[in-house]
Short mmCIF file of all heavy atoms in Angstrom, two decimals:
data_model
loop_
_atom_site.label_atom_id
_atom_site.label_comp_id
_atom_site.label_asym_id
_atom_site.label_seq_id
_atom_site.Cartn_x
_atom_site.Cartn_y
_atom_site.Cartn_z
N GLY A 50 -32.30 -13.18 -50.21
CA GLY A 50 -33.39 -13.41 -51.13
C GLY A 50 -33.00 -13.40 -52.58
O GLY A 50 -31.89 -13.79 -52.97
N GLU A 51 -33.93 -12.94 -53.38
CA GLU A 51 -33.86 -13.01 -54.83
C GLU A 51 -32.70 -12.20 -55.40
O GLU A 51 -32.39 -11.10 -54.91
CB GLU A 51 -35.20 -12.48 -55.37
CG GLU A 51 -35.38 -12.61 -56.86
CD GLU A 51 -36.71 -12.02 -57.30
OE1 GLU A 51 -37.34 -11.27 -56.52
OE2 GLU A 51 -37.12 -12.31 -58.44
N GLN A 52 -32.06 -12.76 -56.43
CA GLN A 52 -31.00 -12.07 -57.19
C GLN A 52 -29.93 -11.49 -56.28
O GLN A 52 -29.53 -10.34 -56.41
CB GLN A 52 -31.60 -11.00 -58.08
CG GLN A 52 -32.47 -11.59 -59.18
CD GLN A 52 -32.82 -10.59 -60.26
OE1 GLN A 52 -32.17 -9.58 -60.42
NE2 GLN A 52 -33.87 -10.88 -61.02
N GLY A 53 -29.44 -12.32 -55.35
CA GLY A 53 -28.32 -11.92 -54.50
C GLY A 53 -28.67 -10.97 -53.39
O GLY A 53 -27.75 -10.40 -52.76
N LEU A 54 -29.94 -10.76 -53.11
CA LEU A 54 -30.32 -9.85 -52.04
C LEU A 54 -29.74 -10.31 -50.71
O LEU A 54 -29.93 -11.45 -50.28
CB LEU A 54 -31.84 -9.77 -51.91
CG LEU A 54 -32.35 -8.87 -50.78
CD1 LEU A 54 -32.14 -7.40 -51.13
CD2 LEU A 54 -33.83 -9.14 -50.50
N PHE A 55 -29.03 -9.41 -50.03
CA PHE A 55 -28.51 -9.70 -48.68
C PHE A 55 -28.58 -8.40 -47.88
O PHE A 55 -27.96 -7.40 -48.25
CB PHE A 55 -27.08 -10.22 -48.73
CG PHE A 55 -26.59 -10.71 -47.39
CD1 PHE A 55 -26.83 -12.01 -47.00
CD2 PHE A 55 -25.90 -9.86 -46.53
CE1 PHE A 55 -26.41 -12.47 -45.76
CE2 PHE A 55 -25.47 -10.31 -45.30
CZ PHE A 55 -25.72 -11.62 -44.90
N ILE A 56 -29.36 -8.43 -46.81
CA ILE A 56 -29.58 -7.25 -45.98
C ILE A 56 -29.14 -7.59 -44.56
O ILE A 56 -29.42 -8.68 -44.05
CB ILE A 56 -31.06 -6.84 -46.01
CG1 ILE A 56 -31.45 -6.41 -47.43
CG2 ILE A 56 -31.32 -5.71 -45.03
CD1 ILE A 56 -32.93 -6.13 -47.59
N ARG A 57 -28.46 -6.63 -43.92
CA ARG A 57 -27.87 -6.87 -42.61
C ARG A 57 -28.24 -5.76 -41.63
O ARG A 57 -28.31 -4.58 -41.99
CB ARG A 57 -26.35 -6.92 -42.76
CG ARG A 57 -25.57 -7.05 -41.47
CD ARG A 57 -24.10 -6.78 -41.70
NE ARG A 57 -23.86 -5.38 -42.06
CZ ARG A 57 -22.66 -4.87 -42.34
NH1 ARG A 57 -21.61 -5.67 -42.38
NH2 ARG A 57 -22.52 -3.59 -42.63
N SER A 58 -28.49 -6.15 -40.39
CA SER A 58 -28.61 -5.21 -39.28
C SER A 58 -27.70 -5.68 -38.17
O SER A 58 -27.70 -6.86 -37.81
CB SER A 58 -30.05 -5.13 -38.77
OG SER A 58 -30.12 -4.35 -37.59
N LEU A 59 -26.92 -4.76 -37.61
CA LEU A 59 -26.01 -5.10 -36.51
C LEU A 59 -26.51 -4.55 -35.18
O LEU A 59 -25.80 -4.63 -34.17
CB LEU A 59 -24.60 -4.57 -36.81
CG LEU A 59 -23.95 -5.13 -38.08
CD1 LEU A 59 -22.56 -4.54 -38.27
CD2 LEU A 59 -23.88 -6.65 -38.03
N ASP A 60 -27.73 -4.01 -35.17
CA ASP A 60 -28.31 -3.48 -33.94
C ASP A 60 -29.69 -4.05 -33.66
O ASP A 60 -30.58 -3.37 -33.15
CB ASP A 60 -28.35 -1.95 -33.98
CG ASP A 60 -29.11 -1.40 -35.18
OD1 ASP A 60 -29.79 -2.19 -35.87
OD2 ASP A 60 -29.03 -0.19 -35.43
N GLY A 61 -29.88 -5.32 -34.04
CA GLY A 61 -31.12 -6.01 -33.73
C GLY A 61 -32.33 -5.59 -34.53
O GLY A 61 -33.46 -5.86 -34.13
N GLY A 62 -32.10 -4.93 -35.67
CA GLY A 62 -33.21 -4.57 -36.54
C GLY A 62 -33.61 -3.12 -36.50
O GLY A 62 -34.64 -2.74 -37.08
N LYS A 63 -32.79 -2.26 -35.87
CA LYS A 63 -33.10 -0.83 -35.87
C LYS A 63 -32.68 -0.15 -37.17
O LYS A 63 -33.36 0.73 -37.67
CB LYS A 63 -32.41 -0.15 -34.68
CG LYS A 63 -32.89 -0.65 -33.32
CD LYS A 63 -32.10 0.01 -32.20
CE LYS A 63 -32.53 -0.53 -30.84
NZ LYS A 63 -31.72 0.07 -29.74
N HIS A 64 -31.55 -0.57 -37.70
CA HIS A 64 -31.04 -0.02 -38.96
C HIS A 64 -30.57 -1.17 -39.85
O HIS A 64 -30.07 -2.18 -39.35
CB HIS A 64 -29.87 0.95 -38.71
CG HIS A 64 -30.21 2.05 -37.77
ND1 HIS A 64 -30.01 1.95 -36.40
CD2 HIS A 64 -30.75 3.28 -37.99
CE1 HIS A 64 -30.40 3.07 -35.82
NE2 HIS A 64 -30.86 3.89 -36.75
N PHE A 65 -30.72 -1.00 -41.17
CA PHE A 65 -30.38 -2.06 -42.11
C PHE A 65 -29.47 -1.53 -43.22
O PHE A 65 -29.61 -0.39 -43.65
CB PHE A 65 -31.65 -2.64 -42.75
CG PHE A 65 -32.51 -3.41 -41.79
CD1 PHE A 65 -33.52 -2.78 -41.07
CD2 PHE A 65 -32.32 -4.77 -41.61
CE1 PHE A 65 -34.31 -3.48 -40.19
CE2 PHE A 65 -33.12 -5.49 -40.73
CZ PHE A 65 -34.12 -4.84 -40.02
N ASP A 66 -28.56 -2.40 -43.67
CA ASP A 66 -27.68 -2.11 -44.80
C ASP A 66 -27.83 -3.20 -45.84
O ASP A 66 -28.01 -4.38 -45.51
CB ASP A 66 -26.21 -2.05 -44.37
CG ASP A 66 -25.96 -0.99 -43.32
OD1 ASP A 66 -26.37 0.15 -43.56
OD2 ASP A 66 -25.35 -1.31 -42.29
N LYS A 67 -27.74 -2.83 -47.12
CA LYS A 67 -27.72 -3.80 -48.20
C LYS A 67 -26.27 -4.12 -48.53
O LYS A 67 -25.46 -3.22 -48.74
CB LYS A 67 -28.44 -3.25 -49.43
CG LYS A 67 -28.63 -4.26 -50.53
CD LYS A 67 -29.48 -3.67 -51.66
CE LYS A 67 -29.74 -4.68 -52.75
NZ LYS A 67 -30.60 -4.10 -53.82
N ILE A 68 -25.94 -5.42 -48.57
CA ILE A 68 -24.57 -5.87 -48.76
C ILE A 68 -24.44 -6.59 -50.10
O ILE A 68 -25.29 -7.42 -50.46
CB ILE A 68 -24.14 -6.82 -47.63
CG1 ILE A 68 -24.32 -6.15 -46.26
CG2 ILE A 68 -22.70 -7.28 -47.83
CD1 ILE A 68 -23.47 -4.94 -46.05
N ASP A 69 -23.37 -6.29 -50.83
CA ASP A 69 -23.05 -7.01 -52.07
C ASP A 69 -22.23 -8.24 -51.70
O ASP A 69 -21.08 -8.12 -51.27
CB ASP A 69 -22.27 -6.10 -53.01
CG ASP A 69 -21.97 -6.77 -54.35
OD1 ASP A 69 -22.35 -7.95 -54.53
OD2 ASP A 69 -21.35 -6.11 -55.21
N VAL A 70 -22.82 -9.42 -51.87
CA VAL A 70 -22.12 -10.65 -51.50
C VAL A 70 -21.23 -11.17 -52.63
O VAL A 70 -20.56 -12.18 -52.47
CB VAL A 70 -23.12 -11.75 -51.07
CG1 VAL A 70 -23.93 -11.30 -49.87
CG2 VAL A 70 -24.03 -12.16 -52.23
N GLY A 71 -21.28 -10.52 -53.78
CA GLY A 71 -20.45 -10.94 -54.90
C GLY A 71 -21.06 -12.05 -55.74
O GLY A 71 -20.37 -12.64 -56.57
N TYR A 72 -22.34 -12.32 -55.54
CA TYR A 72 -23.02 -13.35 -56.33
C TYR A 72 -24.40 -12.84 -56.70
O TYR A 72 -25.18 -12.42 -55.82
CB TYR A 72 -23.15 -14.65 -55.53
CG TYR A 72 -23.92 -15.73 -56.24
CD1 TYR A 72 -23.41 -16.35 -57.38
CD2 TYR A 72 -25.17 -16.14 -55.78
CE1 TYR A 72 -24.14 -17.33 -58.05
CE2 TYR A 72 -25.89 -17.13 -56.44
CZ TYR A 72 -25.37 -17.72 -57.57
OH TYR A 72 -26.08 -18.69 -58.23
N PRO A 73 -24.77 -12.84 -58.00
CA PRO A 73 -26.04 -12.26 -58.43
C PRO A 73 -27.23 -13.21 -58.42
O PRO A 73 -28.35 -12.81 -58.72
CB PRO A 73 -25.74 -11.81 -59.86
CG PRO A 73 -24.75 -12.84 -60.35
CD PRO A 73 -23.91 -13.18 -59.16
N GLY A 74 -27.00 -14.48 -58.09
CA GLY A 74 -28.10 -15.44 -58.08
C GLY A 74 -28.88 -15.41 -56.78
O GLY A 74 -28.45 -14.85 -55.76
N SER A 75 -30.04 -16.01 -56.78
CA SER A 75 -30.91 -16.00 -55.60
C SER A 75 -30.33 -16.83 -54.47
O SER A 75 -29.68 -17.86 -54.70
CB SER A 75 -32.30 -16.51 -55.97
OG SER A 75 -32.95 -15.59 -56.82
N LEU A 76 -30.60 -16.38 -53.24
CA LEU A 76 -30.09 -17.00 -52.02
C LEU A 76 -31.28 -17.47 -51.20
O LEU A 76 -32.21 -16.71 -50.94
CB LEU A 76 -29.25 -16.00 -51.23
CG LEU A 76 -28.09 -15.36 -52.02
CD1 LEU A 76 -27.48 -14.21 -51.22
CD2 LEU A 76 -27.04 -16.40 -52.37
N PHE A 77 -31.24 -18.74 -50.76
CA PHE A 77 -32.43 -19.36 -50.19
C PHE A 77 -32.33 -19.73 -48.71
O PHE A 77 -33.36 -19.99 -48.09
CB PHE A 77 -32.78 -20.64 -50.97
CG PHE A 77 -32.94 -20.44 -52.45
CD1 PHE A 77 -32.38 -21.32 -53.35
CD2 PHE A 77 -33.65 -19.36 -52.94
CE1 PHE A 77 -32.54 -21.14 -54.71
CE2 PHE A 77 -33.81 -19.16 -54.30
CZ PHE A 77 -33.25 -20.06 -55.19
N THR A 78 -31.13 -19.82 -48.16
CA THR A 78 -31.02 -20.31 -46.78
C THR A 78 -29.86 -19.65 -46.07
O THR A 78 -28.87 -19.25 -46.70
CB THR A 78 -30.87 -21.85 -46.76
OG1 THR A 78 -30.96 -22.32 -45.42
CG2 THR A 78 -29.56 -22.30 -47.38
N LEU A 79 -29.98 -19.51 -44.74
CA LEU A 79 -29.00 -18.82 -43.93
C LEU A 79 -28.70 -19.61 -42.66
O LEU A 79 -29.59 -20.25 -42.09
CB LEU A 79 -29.52 -17.44 -43.51
CG LEU A 79 -29.57 -16.32 -44.55
CD1 LEU A 79 -30.45 -15.19 -44.04
CD2 LEU A 79 -28.17 -15.82 -44.85
N LEU A 80 -27.45 -19.53 -42.22
CA LEU A 80 -27.04 -20.01 -40.90
C LEU A 80 -26.20 -18.94 -40.24
O LEU A 80 -25.38 -18.29 -40.90
CB LEU A 80 -26.21 -21.30 -41.00
CG LEU A 80 -26.91 -22.61 -41.30
CD1 LEU A 80 -25.87 -23.73 -41.40
CD2 LEU A 80 -27.93 -22.95 -40.23
N THR A 81 -26.36 -18.76 -38.92
CA THR A 81 -25.51 -17.82 -38.17
C THR A 81 -24.95 -18.55 -36.95
O THR A 81 -25.51 -18.46 -35.86
CB THR A 81 -26.29 -16.59 -37.72
OG1 THR A 81 -27.52 -17.00 -37.11
CG2 THR A 81 -26.59 -15.67 -38.87
N PRO A 82 -23.84 -19.28 -37.12
CA PRO A 82 -23.26 -20.01 -35.99
C PRO A 82 -22.83 -19.08 -34.85
O PRO A 82 -22.82 -19.49 -33.69
CB PRO A 82 -22.04 -20.70 -36.61
CG PRO A 82 -22.35 -20.76 -38.08
CD PRO A 82 -23.13 -19.53 -38.38
N SER A 83 -22.48 -17.84 -35.17
CA SER A 83 -22.11 -16.84 -34.18
C SER A 83 -22.57 -15.49 -34.71
O SER A 83 -22.89 -15.36 -35.90
CB SER A 83 -20.60 -16.84 -33.94
OG SER A 83 -19.92 -16.31 -35.05
N PRO A 84 -22.60 -14.44 -33.86
CA PRO A 84 -23.03 -13.13 -34.36
C PRO A 84 -22.20 -12.62 -35.52
O PRO A 84 -22.71 -11.89 -36.38
CB PRO A 84 -22.88 -12.22 -33.13
CG PRO A 84 -23.08 -13.13 -31.97
CD PRO A 84 -22.44 -14.43 -32.39
N ALA A 85 -20.91 -13.01 -35.59
CA ALA A 85 -20.03 -12.52 -36.65
C ALA A 85 -20.01 -13.41 -37.87
O ALA A 85 -19.63 -12.97 -38.96
CB ALA A 85 -18.60 -12.35 -36.12
N GLU A 86 -20.42 -14.67 -37.73
CA GLU A 86 -20.30 -15.63 -38.83
C GLU A 86 -21.67 -15.89 -39.45
O GLU A 86 -22.66 -16.11 -38.76
CB GLU A 86 -19.71 -16.94 -38.32
CG GLU A 86 -19.45 -17.96 -39.43
CD GLU A 86 -18.85 -19.25 -38.91
OE1 GLU A 86 -18.74 -19.39 -37.68
OE2 GLU A 86 -18.50 -20.12 -39.73
N VAL A 87 -21.71 -15.90 -40.78
CA VAL A 87 -22.94 -16.20 -41.49
C VAL A 87 -22.62 -17.03 -42.71
O VAL A 87 -21.62 -16.79 -43.41
CB VAL A 87 -23.69 -14.90 -41.89
CG1 VAL A 87 -22.83 -14.00 -42.74
CG2 VAL A 87 -24.99 -15.22 -42.62
N LEU A 88 -23.43 -18.06 -42.93
CA LEU A 88 -23.33 -18.93 -44.11
C LEU A 88 -24.63 -18.79 -44.89
O LEU A 88 -25.72 -18.81 -44.32
CB LEU A 88 -23.13 -20.39 -43.69
CG LEU A 88 -21.81 -20.72 -43.02
CD1 LEU A 88 -21.94 -21.98 -42.18
CD2 LEU A 88 -20.71 -20.90 -44.05
N VAL A 89 -24.51 -18.65 -46.21
CA VAL A 89 -25.69 -18.46 -47.04
C VAL A 89 -25.60 -19.38 -48.25
O VAL A 89 -24.54 -19.54 -48.85
CB VAL A 89 -25.84 -16.98 -47.48
CG1 VAL A 89 -24.60 -16.49 -48.20
CG2 VAL A 89 -27.08 -16.78 -48.32
N GLY A 90 -26.71 -20.07 -48.56
CA GLY A 90 -26.74 -20.99 -49.69
C GLY A 90 -27.79 -20.59 -50.70
O GLY A 90 -28.81 -19.97 -50.35
#
């Protein structure tokens, strides 16, 4: 989301972590080709 927001859960939504993706601008779209791979635009 907004201003580089990136939140991750590795247990299906039971627990969440905030991740610094190294970019402070807003993020609008996501792809997950595999459980380990994620693309964000």
